[in-house]
């Protein structure tokens, strides 16, 4: 079974949704599942250097009280599945393309671990994963060749791979993330629960048997 996942690394709901899927897969014993991560950018007009996090949230949601309530809700939802969000640590709403590119450069077997590391760096440590130095430090943790990664990132060569993902997202009419396509047949949208993902996996298996 193959699951294609469209996600924005700086999207907290993507982190929650993917964690729920991974939780479902820990219970799923029917067949082997391969995950394919695809880049998606919620804000295509975000500058490469990012923007101030709090100020941007206030512009999008309104008053500080509304921002606080929204972030508290996300934090509580994350805690239910063992995720930590430290929004007070985040100073910059990072542009995700460098992080998406690093994920592309990571061997398939390590991609889930890489994604989780990038998410922890951003959501728990408040690191700017739109900064190439931060990205190279994470690449080094995974044993990737920093010089090779830096050359590919700075040359712009990864843009073609990201563009391919954006075109695939258009094909599936992805409007919001997370967005999951199971065996090219069943679509699941949003940060669903573990039982919902298990039900979807069973449905695909039954439909194809």
């Amino acid at each position: 079974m193959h699951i294609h996942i469209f996600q924005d690394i700086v999207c907290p709901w993507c982190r929650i949704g993917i964690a729920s899927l991974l939780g479902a897969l820990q219970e799923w014993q029917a067949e082997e599942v391969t995950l394919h991560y695809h880049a998606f950018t919620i804000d295509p007009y975000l500058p490469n250097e990012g923007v101030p996090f709090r100020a941007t949230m206030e512009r999008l949601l309104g008053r500080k009280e509304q921002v606080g309530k929204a972030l508290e809700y996300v934090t509580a939802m994350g805690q239910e599945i063992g995720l930590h969000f430290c929004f007070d640590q985040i100073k910059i709403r990072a542009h995700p393309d460098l992080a998406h590119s690093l994920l592309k450069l990571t061997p398939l077997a390590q991609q889930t671990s890489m994604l989780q590391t990038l998410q922890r760096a951003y959501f728990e440590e408040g690191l700017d994963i739109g900064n190439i130095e931060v990205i190279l430090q994470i690449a080094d943790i995974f044993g990737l060749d920093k010089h090779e990664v830096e050359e590919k990132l700075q040359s712009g060569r990864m843009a073609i791979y990201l563009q391919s993902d954006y075109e695939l997202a258009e094909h599936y009419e992805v409007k919001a993330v997370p967005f999951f396509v199971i065996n090219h047949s069943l679509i699941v949208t949003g940060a669903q629960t573990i039982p919902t993902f298990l039900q979807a996996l069973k449905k695909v298996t039954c439909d194809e048997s």
Side-chain angles (χ1 to χ4, degrees):
M1 182 180 291
H2 294 265
I3 302 179
H4 292 263
I5 303 169
F6 295 85
Q7 53 85 34
D8 186 333
I9 293 176
V10 299
C11 163
W13 292 111
C14 291
R15 188 187 187 202
I16 292 172
I18 292 169
S20 292
L21 172 63
L22 294 174
L25 292 178
Q26 288 182 343
E27 300 181 28
W28 181 251
Q29 303 294 329
E31 61 183 294
E32 184 178 350
V33 178
T34 301
L35 303 180
H36 306 271
Y37 296 102
H38 300 285
F40 190 89
T41 302
I42 293 175
D43 184 358
Y45 303 105
L46 188 68
N48 290 335
E49 66 274 17
V51 292
F53 179 74
R54 281 282 172 173
T56 302
M57 293 299 294
E58 289 174 15
R59 177 174 57 82
L60 293 173
L61 298 178
R63 295 176 301 175
K64 290 184 179 181
E65 293 81 1
Q66 292 173 302
V67 173
K69 289 180 180 179
L71 297 182
E72 286 174 6
Y73 180 68
V74 173
T75 300
M77 293 298 292
Q79 287 176 339
E80 289 186 6
I81 54 173
L83 296 177
H84 299 287
F85 288 94
C86 304
F87 290 108
D88 287 344
Q89 297 294 322
I90 303 175
K91 306 305 179 187
I92 298 293
R93 184 180 181 188
H95 195 292
D97 275 4
L98 282 180
H100 283 313
S101 296
L102 178 60
L103 190 59
K104 294 283 184 190
L105 293 170
T106 304
L108 184 62
Q110 292 181 286
Q111 284 186 1
T112 294
S113 181
M114 173 62 83
L115 176 60
Q116 292 171 326
T117 298
L118 288 164
Q119 291 170 332
R120 282 194 300 269
Y122 182 67
F123 288 113
E124 297 182 29
E125 301 175 49
L127 298 179
D128 179 6
I129 58 172
N131 181 289
I132 192 166
E133 293 303 323
V134 173
I135 288 296
L136 292 176
Q137 289 173 8
I138 295 174
D140 190 48
I141 292 172
F142 280 77
L144 302 179
D145 187 317
K146 288 176 61 176
H147 298 292
E148 182 178 341
V149 169
E150 183 176 19
E151 189 277 326
K152 288 181 178 179
L153 293 179
Q154 292 191 330
S155 69
R157 289 160 57 187
M158 298 305 298
I160 188 172
Y161 298 102
L162 299 186
Q163 183 59 35
S164 177
D165 279 354
Y166 300 148
E167 291 173 1
L168 188 60
E170 289 184 6
H171 169 76
Y172 282 111
E173 299 182 347
V174 179
K175 304 300 182 184
V177 286
F179 188 100
F180 308 85
V181 184
I182 305 175
N183 268 13
H184 303 287
S185 59
L186 180 64
I187 291 174
V188 178
T189 60
Q192 299 297 335
T193 63
I194 289 176
T196 298
F197 279 115
L198 283 171
Q199 184 179 15
L201 294 170
K202 292 174 183 176
K203 184 179 189 307
V204 170
T205 301
C206 290
D207 289 347
E208 295 180 352
S209 61

